[in-house]
Amino acid sequence: MNAQKRVIRHGLVGGGFVTLLLAASFVVVLGVPTTPGTVGVVVWLALVGLAMFAAGRWERVLLGSTTLEWPRLAGIAIGLLAVGWGVVSAASLLTGDGITGLGPLEAVLTLGVVGYFAWFAKECWVGGDRIDSETFTVE
Protein backbone atom coordinates (compact mmCIF):
# COMPACT_ATOMS: atom_id res chain seq x y z
CA MET A 1 0.00 0.00 0.00
CA ASN A 2 1.52 3.32 -1.02
CA ALA A 3 1.59 6.27 1.38
CA GLN A 4 -1.16 8.23 -0.37
CA LYS A 5 -3.52 5.25 -0.32
CA ARG A 6 -2.76 4.70 3.37
CA VAL A 7 -3.60 8.34 4.17
CA ILE A 8 -6.89 8.19 2.27
CA ARG A 9 -7.93 4.86 3.80
CA HIS A 10 -7.06 5.99 7.34
CA GLY A 11 -8.94 9.24 6.71
CA LEU A 12 -11.99 7.27 5.63
CA VAL A 13 -11.90 5.15 8.79
CA GLY A 14 -11.50 8.22 11.00
CA GLY A 15 -14.07 10.27 9.13
CA GLY A 16 -16.52 7.40 9.18
CA PHE A 17 -16.06 6.89 12.91
CA VAL A 18 -16.55 10.60 13.67
CA THR A 19 -19.62 10.74 11.41
CA LEU A 20 -21.12 7.75 13.23
CA LEU A 21 -20.42 9.51 16.55
CA LEU A 22 -22.16 12.62 15.24
CA ALA A 23 -25.22 10.57 14.24
CA ALA A 24 -25.25 8.93 17.68
CA SER A 25 -24.90 12.30 19.41
CA PHE A 26 -28.07 13.53 17.69
CA VAL A 27 -29.93 10.57 19.19
CA VAL A 28 -28.35 10.99 22.65
CA VAL A 29 -28.90 14.75 22.83
CA LEU A 30 -32.30 15.00 21.11
CA GLY A 31 -33.65 11.56 21.95
CA VAL A 32 -35.13 9.20 19.39
CA PRO A 33 -35.82 11.35 16.32
CA THR A 34 -39.51 11.88 15.58
CA THR A 35 -39.60 14.60 12.93
CA PRO A 36 -38.88 13.63 9.31
CA GLY A 37 -36.04 16.16 9.12
CA THR A 38 -34.23 14.80 12.16
CA VAL A 39 -34.75 11.20 11.08
CA GLY A 40 -33.35 12.12 7.67
CA VAL A 41 -30.25 13.76 9.14
CA VAL A 42 -29.54 10.86 11.51
CA VAL A 43 -30.04 8.22 8.79
CA TRP A 44 -27.92 10.24 6.33
CA LEU A 45 -25.07 10.59 8.83
CA ALA A 46 -25.25 6.91 9.79
CA LEU A 47 -25.17 5.75 6.14
CA VAL A 48 -22.29 8.06 5.27
CA GLY A 49 -20.38 7.03 8.41
CA LEU A 50 -20.85 3.30 7.83
CA ALA A 51 -19.89 3.55 4.16
CA MET A 52 -16.79 5.66 4.89
CA PHE A 53 -15.68 3.36 7.70
CA ALA A 54 -16.19 0.24 5.55
CA ALA A 55 -14.36 1.78 2.58
CA GLY A 56 -11.41 2.63 4.77
CA ARG A 57 -11.32 -0.70 6.58
CA TRP A 58 -11.92 -3.36 3.89
CA GLU A 59 -10.76 -3.75 0.28
CA ARG A 60 -14.13 -5.15 -0.80
CA VAL A 61 -17.56 -4.98 0.81
CA LEU A 62 -20.37 -7.41 0.03
CA LEU A 63 -23.76 -5.69 -0.33
CA GLY A 64 -26.36 -8.31 -1.08
CA SER A 65 -25.29 -9.97 -4.31
CA THR A 66 -22.97 -7.10 -5.27
CA THR A 67 -19.36 -6.65 -4.23
CA LEU A 68 -18.09 -3.08 -4.08
CA GLU A 69 -14.38 -2.31 -4.06
CA TRP A 70 -13.28 0.32 -1.57
CA PRO A 71 -12.79 3.21 -4.05
CA ARG A 72 -16.36 2.87 -5.36
CA LEU A 73 -17.78 2.65 -1.83
CA ALA A 74 -15.73 5.71 -0.84
CA GLY A 75 -17.07 7.55 -3.88
CA ILE A 76 -20.64 6.72 -2.88
CA ALA A 77 -20.02 7.76 0.74
CA ILE A 78 -18.36 11.07 -0.13
CA GLY A 79 -21.00 11.75 -2.79
CA LEU A 80 -23.76 11.19 -0.21
CA LEU A 81 -21.90 13.50 2.15
CA ALA A 82 -21.75 16.23 -0.50
CA VAL A 83 -25.42 15.95 -1.47
CA GLY A 84 -26.61 15.83 2.15
CA TRP A 85 -24.44 18.76 3.19
CA GLY A 86 -25.77 20.81 0.29
CA VAL A 87 -29.40 19.93 1.05
CA VAL A 88 -29.13 20.61 4.79
CA SER A 89 -27.30 23.89 4.25
CA ALA A 90 -29.66 25.09 1.50
CA ALA A 91 -32.74 24.20 3.56
CA SER A 92 -31.40 26.00 6.61
CA LEU A 93 -30.41 29.05 4.55
CA LEU A 94 -33.89 29.23 3.01
CA THR A 95 -35.50 29.23 6.45
CA GLY A 96 -33.10 31.64 8.16
CA ASP A 97 -29.40 32.38 8.52
CA GLY A 98 -28.30 28.77 8.07
CA ILE A 99 -26.87 26.30 10.51
CA THR A 100 -23.86 28.45 11.39
CA GLY A 101 -25.68 31.79 11.45
CA LEU A 102 -23.20 33.17 8.92
CA GLY A 103 -25.87 33.74 6.27
CA PRO A 104 -24.37 34.44 2.82
CA LEU A 105 -20.90 33.39 3.98
CA GLU A 106 -22.30 29.94 4.78
CA ALA A 107 -23.56 29.70 1.21
CA VAL A 108 -20.05 30.40 -0.11
CA LEU A 109 -18.47 27.92 2.32
CA THR A 110 -21.06 25.29 1.41
CA LEU A 111 -20.38 25.71 -2.31
CA GLY A 112 -16.66 25.24 -1.68
CA VAL A 113 -17.02 22.22 0.58
CA VAL A 114 -19.67 20.51 -1.54
CA GLY A 115 -17.62 21.18 -4.68
CA TYR A 116 -14.52 19.64 -3.10
CA PHE A 117 -16.43 16.60 -1.85
CA ALA A 118 -18.03 16.11 -5.28
CA TRP A 119 -14.59 16.26 -6.94
CA PHE A 120 -13.13 13.79 -4.45
CA ALA A 121 -16.10 11.44 -4.84
CA LYS A 122 -15.51 11.47 -8.61
CA GLU A 123 -11.81 10.75 -8.09
CA CYS A 124 -12.69 7.74 -5.95
CA TRP A 125 -15.35 6.51 -8.38
CA VAL A 126 -13.11 6.65 -11.48
CA GLY A 127 -10.02 5.41 -9.66
CA GLY A 128 -8.03 8.59 -10.02
CA ASP A 129 -8.19 11.24 -12.71
CA ARG A 130 -6.06 13.93 -11.07
CA ILE A 131 -4.89 11.77 -8.16
CA ASP A 132 -2.45 8.99 -9.05
CA SER A 133 -4.45 5.89 -10.04
CA GLU A 134 -2.06 3.73 -7.96
CA THR A 135 -3.67 5.30 -4.90
CA PHE A 136 -6.95 3.55 -5.74
CA THR A 137 -5.66 0.06 -6.44
CA VAL A 138 -7.53 -2.82 -4.88
CA GLU A 139 -5.37 -5.62 -3.57
Side-chain angles (χ1 to χ4, degrees):
M1 182 183 310
N2 69 27
Q4 199 167 14
K5 179 179 177 180
R6 185 176 295 111
V7 167
I8 289 174
R9 299 286 303 276
H10 286 201
L12 287 166
V13 169
F17 182 73
V18 169
T19 305
L20 287 169
L21 284 178
L22 183 59
S25 71
F26 269 93
V27 174
V28 169
V29 171
L30 301 176
V32 175
T34 55
T35 65
T38 308
V39 170
V41 169
V42 170
V43 169
W44 164 63
L45 288 170
L47 286 174
V48 168
L50 285 170
M52 286 175 67
F53 185 85
R57 184 73 178 92
W58 297 288
E59 290 288 318
R60 292 172 186 79
V61 175
L62 184 63
L63 294 174
S65 63
T66 303
T67 301
L68 285 175
E69 295 177 340
W70 79 266
R72 291 282 169 110
L73 186 56
I76 291 168
I78 303 299
L80 283 173
L81 184 61
V83 169
W85 189 312
V87 167
V88 168
S89 184
S92 68
L93 283 168
L94 290 173
T95 60
D97 274 342
I99 296 170
T100 62
L102 297 175
L105 182 56
E106 181 176 330
V108 172
L109 292 171
T110 295
L111 285 173
V113 169
V114 167
Y116 172 74
F117 284 162
W119 170 81
F120 188 62
K122 184 201 76 113
E123 285 292 307
C124 291
W125 187 260
V126 300
D129 186 29
R130 298 277 185 209
I131 298 174
D132 184 20
S133 61
E134 209 175 280
T135 302
F136 299 101
T137 58
V138 178
E139 296 166 10

